[in-house]
Amino acid sequence: ALFGDLFLAHLYKRCPYTLPAYWNKKSGESNEDYLRRLGYSNDGEKLEERDKYLLKMEGCIKLYAAILQGPPTFSNMPHPHGMSHGWLWLSRMLNLEPIPDVTATALEAFLKVAGSALLKMYKSQFLKLLEFIYSQYLPKVEAVTLESNLGPITRLKLYLEKIQKTRSVPEPEGRMSQSICG
């Protein structure tokens, strides 16, 4: 469990949205220091571009979602950070006020990787939560989204509409079968 705890701590530091948390700027903190605390990389001259940052955060969220549903290390022990943590992550995320680009990016990434496993575990309750996201939370995300940055919100909305129509969540792309995993 020590490696897992250290790994998660590193992931939380690189991407606070895996907690999920939105950090506020501290009094007296420079804009550059604040952005670095949010996970922006600095090549020595300038901070990374927003699009590159969002892709990196998306990757961290997808990695976190994949870890939640991986097989336990030892077959006779429960997963130390399993799918119940996925439900917890999702509920915590939905209790935060949305921020432009990041909220839609994080939700879509998480649902694409962990959504099918959450549906298997929580069944109709998960579908009700997705309906809540679509009807109640998505309008809040849209309200803070700039017209010039509609990509993340549009992708999330289309993904949720597809789930509503089919009443199912597709398996994540590239998922290995259980026979391969152990």
Side-chain angles (χ1 to χ4, degrees):
L2 181 60
F3 172 77
D5 293 341
L6 290 173
F7 180 79
L8 286 173
H10 180 73
L11 189 61
Y12 296 154
K13 186 175 180 183
R14 298 277 295 165
C15 176
Y17 314 116
T18 54
L19 284 170
Y22 300 148
W23 306 132
N24 293 320
K25 189 174 178 181
K26 295 177 183 175
S27 177
E29 184 177 32
S30 73
N31 197 44
E32 188 173 319
D33 288 342
Y34 172 64
L35 292 174
R36 258 190 271 149
R37 199 161 45 91
L38 291 179
Y40 277 84
S41 295
N42 185 332
D43 66 3
E45 294 182 23
K46 63 178 183 157
L47 290 171
E48 69 187 321
E49 299 292 323
R50 181 118 172 120
D51 289 347
K52 187 176 178 185
Y53 169 77
L54 288 171
L55 278 173
K56 182 173 69 177
M57 295 300 107
E58 177 183 358
C60 289
I61 295 292
K62 285 180 173 180
L63 175 61
Y64 179 70
I67 289 168
L68 295 177
Q69 56 192 308
T73 308
F74 301 102
S75 60
N76 61 343
M77 296 180 69
H79 193 301
H81 202 81
M83 285 312 299
S84 61
H85 288 270
W87 185 268
L88 186 61
W89 182 92
L90 200 49
S91 64
R92 285 179 178 167
M93 185 65 143
L94 297 174
N95 279 306
L96 294 172
E97 288 300 316
I99 57 175
D101 302 335
V102 172
T103 301
T105 299
L107 278 173
E108 184 203 14
F110 187 81
L111 291 172
K112 279 190 169 180
V113 175
S116 64
L118 285 167
L119 180 60
K120 286 176 188 163
M121 188 169 189
Y122 295 104
K123 299 172 182 40
S124 65
Q125 292 304 314
F126 181 64
L127 290 173
K128 288 177 188 175
L129 184 61
L130 292 178
E131 173 57 35
F132 167 81
I133 293 170
Y134 186 80
S135 65
Q136 303 294 313
Y137 194 73
L138 202 55
K140 289 181 178 181
V141 179
E142 288 174 320
V144 299
T145 301
L146 300 174
E147 190 131 337
S148 59
N149 292 339
L150 293 176
I153 190 75
T154 302
R155 285 189 297 274
L156 176 60
K157 190 173 191 172
L158 290 172
Y159 187 70
L160 290 170
E161 285 172 355
K162 181 180 176 184
I163 292 170
Q164 282 186 322
K165 284 180 188 171
T166 62
R167 305 288 293 165
S168 67
V169 180
E171 289 284 326
E173 196 173 305
R175 183 182 176 103
M176 295 188 313
S177 71
Q178 288 292 38
S179 63
I180 293 174
C181 294

